[in-house]
Amino acid sequence: MCSHWVVLAFCCLGQLCADQSLKPRIAAPQLATNNPTLTTVALEKPSCMFDSSLRPNKSYVIYLYAMKESASAISSLVTDNSSKPLDSTFQQTSGGQLGPYKAALFNVPNCASPPKLADVGDVNKVSDVLKQYLFRVGDDGTCLYDPNFLAVCNPPLAPDTTYRFKYVLLDSTEGIMKDQTLWSDPIKTRRVKLPLKIDTWPGRRSGDMIVITSILSVLVFLLLAGFLASVSSAVMGSKDSSAETRCMSQTIQQSEPRPQLSSK
């Protein structure tokens, strides 16, 4: 019993506790195919996660923090001593290597009237529905190099790298954190494949098989080209022979003496 209160007190010192089961989750395959990619991870937005922390006549926003799993656990806090969320950036944390950085800021999802999943099948509505349900980390490839960019930068993630993510509920009026989720389970971006290992055939052939198939294809092409050239040469030769025969025939006919008509 004592240990339970110690854990609870430690959790609530300097930061509020969210439900221990609440954490960012990777998006369902039905909503985000090819996820994660080499440089992005699609997460489910925190719909209805923070309802118990919302108060009337208050303004709230959601912060999304990201960090590499290799970052130190000591540096995984996302608030300062006054419960204000950190404004650490991608550059300041070496892309999450030194600690969490703020990857996104968006409004609290509307739990009272969520989008209809049935609308995902509608081409005209699918984009809006997915934006309300999902957030793609690493989706901005230009913000790091744009000197005029002032919003929260969400640059591409590193390939073959494991990340963790956290949602934070911020009271916009007071500028302090009101609630937060746990860090997500480890999520790893995809690895760059070597050219010879890229699967370009439905039968999943190896790189050696692709090379052999390419060589055989070239040989078949050369044989076919040689065959066509032989046929073409034979046809042209027969045409020339026929033309020569006709020419010789005409010459012989012209050289033969014609019978002269006798005059009476």
Side-chain angles (χ1 to χ4, degrees):
M1 183 68 180
C2 180
S3 62
H4 171 77
W5 286 107
V6 170
V7 172
L8 182 61
F10 178 78
C11 179
C12 293
L13 276 176
Q15 50 189 346
L16 297 178
C17 293
D19 186 330
Q20 295 301 299
S21 65
L22 298 182
K23 61 179 66 174
R25 296 186 302 177
I26 192 168
Q30 295 83 351
L31 297 179
T33 57
N34 190 30
N35 181 42
T37 66
L38 290 173
T39 57
T40 65
V41 173
L43 299 174
E44 294 181 359
K45 283 188 174 180
S47 299
C48 307
M49 277 190 180
F50 299 121
D51 278 11
S52 60
S53 300
L54 302 178
R55 298 291 180 267
N57 303 320
K58 289 282 188 175
S59 177
Y60 300 93
V61 293
I62 300 291
Y63 281 1
L64 170 62
Y65 286 90
M67 72 172 180
K68 294 182 179 179
E69 189 185 26
S70 56
S72 171
I74 300 176
S75 62
S76 63
L77 297 178
V78 295
T79 59
D80 58 20
N81 294 331
S82 58
S83 295
K84 291 186 177 180
L86 301 178
D87 286 326
S88 50
T89 64
F90 183 90
Q91 298 96 320
Q92 292 170 345
T93 62
S94 297
Q97 181 67 42
L98 304 178
Y101 66 92
K102 187 164 61 176
L105 182 157
F106 51 85
N107 295 326
V108 179
N110 188 350
C111 189
S113 56
K116 299 178 181 179
L117 284 177
D119 290 339
V120 173
D122 189 335
V123 177
N124 298 321
K125 299 180 180 179
V126 60
S127 178
D128 292 335
V129 172
L130 292 180
K131 284 181 181 179
Q132 294 181 66
Y133 269 111
L134 309 178
F135 182 82
R136 189 173 291 276
V137 188
D139 203 30
D140 192 339
T142 61
C143 60
L144 285 179
Y145 313 103
D146 185 355
N148 300 318
F149 188 85
L150 301 177
V152 178
C153 187
N154 178 30
L157 304 175
D160 193 24
T161 304
T162 303
Y163 289 87
R164 290 180 182 268
F165 306 95
K166 177 191 283 283
Y167 286 124
V168 170
L169 178 68
L170 177 75
D171 184 329
S172 303
T173 306
E174 301 178 13
I176 61 175
M177 182 186 69
K178 287 300 182 181
D179 207 345
Q180 66 177 320
T181 66
L182 299 174
W183 283 101
S184 70
D185 295 330
I187 301 175
K188 190 174 185 179
T189 53
R190 294 193 177 184
R191 178 185 303 178
V192 178
K193 289 186 177 181
L194 297 175
L196 291 179
K197 293 185 178 180
I198 296 177
D199 180 15
T200 58
W201 292 79
R204 292 189 172 274
R205 292 167 173 79
S206 64
D208 294 339
M209 197 63 185
I210 294 175
V211 173
I212 294 173
T213 304
S214 301
I215 294 174
L216 291 177
S217 299
V218 172
L219 290 176
V220 170
F221 173 78
L222 293 176
L223 289 174
L224 181 61
F227 174 75
L228 292 177
S230 299
V231 172
S232 176
S233 177
V235 171
M236 294 299 296
S238 63
K239 287 183 178 180
D240 293 341
S241 177
S242 299
E244 184 178 354
T245 302
R246 287 197 302 270
C247 182
M248 291 179 62
S249 176
Q250 292 176 359
T251 303
I252 293 173
Q253 290 176 0
Q254 291 176 0
S255 63
E256 289 180 351
R258 297 181 179 180
Q260 296 182 354
L261 297 176
S262 57
S263 59
K264 291 182 180 181

